[in-house]
Amino acid sequence: MMVIANSQVQKIELQNYLERLADVTEPQPANIVELRIEERHSRTLPTLVTPWGENGPAIDQAMFVVTKNLSATGVSLISQTTVETDNLLMVLLNQSEFRFLKGLVRYCRPIEGGFMQVGVELERIVDPCEFPKLQQLAQLIARLNRS
């Protein structure tokens, strides 16, 4: 079965997942009012990211980051290192559910304290069945979420 990355159904599924996630997590206090087209939800969630290469996700290069905020189509991440890829796979590690999300890195810029802020435009939810190595990663994440 061929997967169409930009189908409307996948976009709606992705937006619904991000909205549910924003609804069930605790907001961080906002100290700056921003005028944006899309509402941003300030959330700090542990997140696993890995580069997405020609053969799919490079699991052996995975690293942990945290989210700064979420919107209906993207996420802002805080990383200890530069994210050197145009495409990535990410998993927001929360207590209730997780999904593999594929996205495009739109920017990676330095911020205070030697950290990097990474803007990611999310494209779709990736089914672990598409890439067998994701099924192993899903089992590990499920164990992490229980602890």
Side-chain angles (χ1 to χ4, degrees), residues 3-142:
V3 178
I4 300 173
N6 293 321
S7 76
Q8 190 65 18
V9 172
Q10 288 180 332
K11 292 270 187 199
I12 291 170
E13 180 184 12
L14 177 61
Q15 289 175 356
N16 288 339
Y17 170 71
L18 292 171
E19 287 174 10
R20 282 192 319 272
L21 185 62
D23 288 344
V24 300
T25 56
E26 294 294 321
Q28 305 299 315
N31 55 1
I32 299 174
V33 175
E34 296 182 25
L35 300 175
R36 296 190 180 253
I37 295 172
E38 293 179 338
E39 182 180 2
R40 300 267 195 283
H41 303 283
S42 179
R43 301 293 189 273
T44 303
L45 299 169
T47 304
L48 183 70
V49 297
T50 187
W52 184 283
E54 290 181 20
N55 298 321
I59 302 300
D60 59 330
Q61 297 177 40
M63 66 179 180
F64 287 101
V65 299
V66 294
T67 61
K68 178 179 180 186
N69 62 50
L70 306 168
S71 73
T73 59
V75 62
S76 178
L77 304 170
I78 304 297
S79 173
Q80 292 179 308
T81 61
T82 300
V83 174
E84 297 180 3
T85 183
D86 293 332
N87 297 283
L88 58 75
L89 180 79
M90 60 185 291
V91 181
L92 302 167
L93 303 172
N94 64 316
Q95 299 82 337
S96 58
E97 62 179 312
F98 68 89
R99 299 283 186 273
F100 292 101
L101 310 174
K102 183 178 183 300
L104 299 172
V105 175
R106 292 300 184 190
Y107 66 85
C108 181
R109 61 177 170 245
I111 58 173
E112 301 85 20
F115 290 90
M116 304 298 288
Q117 183 171 329
V118 183
V120 179
E121 178 183 346
L122 296 172
E123 296 181 305
R124 68 182 179 103
I125 295 174
V126 177
D127 186 337
C129 294
E130 290 181 55
F131 301 92
K133 56 188 164 187
L134 289 183
Q135 293 174 2
Q136 293 173 346
L137 189 57
Q139 292 170 358
L140 173 63
I141 293 167

